[in-house]
Amino acid sequence: SNRDEVNASSLVSQELVSRMVASSLLEVLIIELSSEEHAEKIGYETGYRYIEKVLRNKTLGPEPLEIMKFLCKEFWFEIFGKHVDKLQTNHRGVFVLREAHFNWLAKTSSADEKLQTTTALKLLRFPCGLLQGALAALGIHATVSCASSTSSANDLKLAIPLPGCAFNVKLLSPSLPS
């Protein structure tokens, strides 16, 4: 009925507004955090708890590749409103999640390239924590690092212009094989 359509439309609008407000507040919070470690810790705790909401009645197998695909599609969509642009793996426990345009980095423009990269990397600590926390809740032990612009994530050299970025996920021993 028409009333049901209006109610559904209203719920969708409310959800979009809630996401926009939450995203804006989160950006301000992360920029204002005094340490990157604190942002990553909050991200970890959030990811650890939020994965339960995203999973709902779904069951994931134990394969790390299956879990990473789930995180790149459904988990990422729930948090950022889009899927990860590209997931790559070397099939030896290393995954790279690439974003051509990460919305949080769109507002980091600065004439000072070093300051812009520093701000971007600080903002990216929260999603690094989100991924690491979600993985931990799913029984996967991993390290997660990020890269943007001409920075590097461990030994992974990247040339992703802002607002693009990449997240490097390295599985630790008990989680292998991938």
Side-chain angles (χ1 to χ4, degrees):
S1 77
N2 196 18
R3 184 179 294 172
D4 290 337
E5 289 175 18
V6 170
N7 287 340
S9 176
S10 176
L11 287 174
V12 169
S13 297
Q14 289 173 351
E15 177 68 22
L16 289 173
V17 169
S18 294
R19 274 193 184 168
M20 289 170 47
V21 169
S23 176
S24 297
L25 290 174
L26 199 52
E27 288 176 38
V28 170
L29 172 69
I30 292 168
I31 289 172
E32 296 301 321
L33 286 172
S34 59
S35 76
E36 293 174 23
E37 293 81 19
H38 193 79
E40 192 163 354
K41 181 180 177 187
I42 292 172
Y44 182 95
E45 292 170 5
T46 303
Y48 196 93
R49 291 181 182 141
Y50 200 74
I51 193 69
E52 291 176 10
K53 177 185 184 241
V54 178
L55 277 174
R56 291 185 188 113
N57 297 323
K58 296 178 177 102
T59 305
L60 290 178
E63 287 297 313
L65 181 58
E66 181 183 345
I67 291 170
M68 290 303 299
K69 285 179 179 180
F70 174 81
L71 291 176
C72 290
K73 291 179 182 176
E74 296 187 44
F75 181 75
W76 207 257
F77 185 82
E78 284 289 324
I79 303 265
F80 300 109
K82 66 183 282 305
H83 300 142
V84 167
D85 292 332
K86 188 172 187 177
L87 171 64
Q88 296 175 296
T89 182
N90 67 358
H91 298 285
R92 288 179 283 161
V94 176
F95 296 89
V96 179
L97 291 67
R98 294 184 184 268
E99 284 286 356
H101 183 90
F102 194 63
N103 282 338
W104 286 13
L105 300 181
K107 299 172 186 168
T108 61
S109 63
S110 170
D112 182 349
E113 188 176 323
K114 186 175 180 178
L115 176 64
Q116 183 178 9
T117 300
T118 301
T119 302
L121 291 174
K122 188 174 183 179
L123 274 171
L124 292 173
R125 298 314 307 160
F126 181 83
C128 282
L130 273 174
L131 285 168
Q132 194 165 10
L135 286 165
L138 295 170
I140 303 280
H141 302 285
T143 60
V144 181
S145 56
C146 57
S148 180
S149 190
T150 56
S151 68
S152 65
N154 295 338
D155 297 326
L156 182 67
K157 296 290 181 190
L158 302 168
I160 303 171
L162 288 172
C165 64
F167 299 92
N168 189 24
V169 178
K170 287 188 178 183
L171 304 184
L172 303 177
S173 299
S175 301
L176 296 174
S178 63

